């Protein structure tokens, strides 16, 4: 590497996260409204430029905390986006991540020094929005990776840290995958894989049969569910 070569200059790294949730059977993604140029007042994924004195994990968690208030979230590396013109300021390579979280357990910061708002958007509505940078493309590719990833067991533990009913779990899989699953087969498959445990508790619904409550086991291996 020739350090003085001008082709190495004016390059940076973006750390970008697609944070997904499922709200009453609807898949949503977290977006922030930018307060600065470029793309001032445009909606964008959570993220920003990596400082040259921090590693990737430190940088992406800093950006999430600064711009949303979320302090803890399990992330997985999703992809690398390196189009030369993806930023109008300078060459910026984006390292993208994905995370799944229970939106009822977080209180979003609506305004920061660099943002004007933060909100959950229906994944289907995002398709028609004009987002900053190439974030529409990043959401699309990351969501496809999420669909593949939930066929393995452990990623949805972030959505259900406590107790849940089997219908709730099934609706979450159906919402993300965009398919309908047979109730009996789904329940049998989940139980046979030894992913969850019976809490011996029930959730009562007015006029309906009580629903048994389960929880994910503390330590489970990644297993192909479908």
């Amino acid at each position: 590497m020739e350090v003085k070569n001008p082709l190495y200059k004016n390059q940076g790294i973006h750390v970008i996260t697609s944070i997904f949730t499922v709200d009453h059977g609807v898949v949503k993604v977290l977006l922030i409204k930018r307060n600065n140029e470029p793309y001032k007042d445009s909606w964008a994924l959570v993220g920003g430029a990596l400082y040259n004195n921090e590693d990737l994990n430190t940088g992406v968690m800093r950006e999430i905390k600064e711009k949303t208030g979320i302090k803890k979230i399990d992330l997985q590396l999703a992809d690398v986006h390196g189009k030369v013109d993806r930023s109008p300021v300078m060459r910026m390579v984006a390292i993208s991540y994905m995370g799944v979280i229970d939106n009822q357990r977080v209180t979003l910061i609506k305004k920061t020094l660099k943002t004007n708002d933060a909100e959950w958007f229906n994944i289907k509505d995002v398709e028609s929005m004009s987002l900053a940078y190439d974030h529409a493309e990043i959401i699309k590719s990351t969501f496809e990776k999420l669909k593949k990833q939930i066929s393995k067991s452990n990623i949805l533990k972030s959505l259900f840290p406590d107790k849940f009913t089997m219908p709730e779990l099934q609706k979450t899989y159906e919402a993300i995958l965009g398919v309908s699953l047979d109730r009996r087969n789904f329940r049998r498959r989940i139980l046979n894989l030894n992913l969850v445990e019976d809490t011996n508790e029930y959730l009562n619904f007015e006029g309906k049969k009580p629903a048994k409550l389960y929880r994910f086991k503390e330590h489970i291996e990644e297993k192909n569910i479908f």
Side-chain angles (χ1 to χ4, degrees), residues 49-63:
L50 184 73
Y51 296 157
N52 63 11
N53 64 347
E54 60 187 1
D55 59 31
L56 290 173
N57 290 336
T58 301
V60 71
M61 292 306 300
R62 171 185 55 78
E63 285 290 336

Side-chain angles (χ1 to χ4, degrees), residues 63-74:
E63 285 290 336
I64 293 172
K65 181 180 177 181
E66 286 180 356
K67 293 177 180 176
T68 70
I70 297 174
K71 299 178 182 179
K72 185 178 180 181
I73 181 173
D74 293 328

Side-chain angles (χ1 to χ4, degrees), residues 10-12 81-94 134:
N10 299 320
Q11 299 189 70
H81 302 265
K83 290 183 178 179
V84 175
D85 59 351
R86 61 172 303 277
S87 170
V89 178
M90 60 188 290
R91 173 74 187 277
M92 297 293 292
V93 174
D134 54 352

Side-chain angles (χ1 to χ4, degrees), residues 54-169:
E54 60 187 1
D55 59 31
L56 290 173
N57 290 336
T58 301
V60 71
M61 292 306 300
R62 171 185 55 78
E63 285 290 336
I64 293 172
K65 181 180 177 181
E66 286 180 356
K67 293 177 180 176
T68 70
I70 297 174
K71 299 178 182 179
K72 185 178 180 181
I73 181 173
D74 293 328
L75 300 177
Q76 295 189 21
L77 185 64
D79 210 341
V80 178
H81 302 265
K83 290 183 178 179
V84 175
D85 59 351
R86 61 172 303 277
S87 170
V89 178
M90 60 188 290
R91 173 74 187 277
M92 297 293 292
V93 174
I95 311 296
S96 68
Y97 294 81
M98 67 177 175
V100 178
I101 199 169
D102 179 0
N103 64 71
Q104 299 300 316
R105 293 178 168 272
V106 296
T107 300
L108 297 178
I109 296 176
K110 292 291 186 176
K111 289 188 177 183
T112 70
L113 290 175
K114 297 181 180 179
T115 65
N116 270 328
D117 203 355
E119 192 58 72
W120 296 99
F121 285 86
N122 187 324
I123 192 74
K124 293 182 179 179
D125 295 337
V126 172
E127 295 176 1
S128 61
M129 296 173 62
S130 179
L131 303 183
Y133 299 100
D134 54 352
H135 289 192
E137 179 182 327
I138 293 177
I139 291 174
K140 184 177 180 180
S141 65
T142 307
F143 187 50
E144 289 303 314
K145 282 184 169 58
L146 177 64
K147 288 181 180 180
K148 295 178 181 178
Q149 189 62 31
I150 69 163
S151 293
K152 298 181 179 179
S153 58
N154 60 357
I155 193 170
L156 287 190
K157 287 185 70 174
S158 300
L159 265 182
F160 296 103
D162 292 326
K163 305 162 191 173
F164 54 86
T165 66
M166 200 62 74
E168 285 178 317
L169 185 62

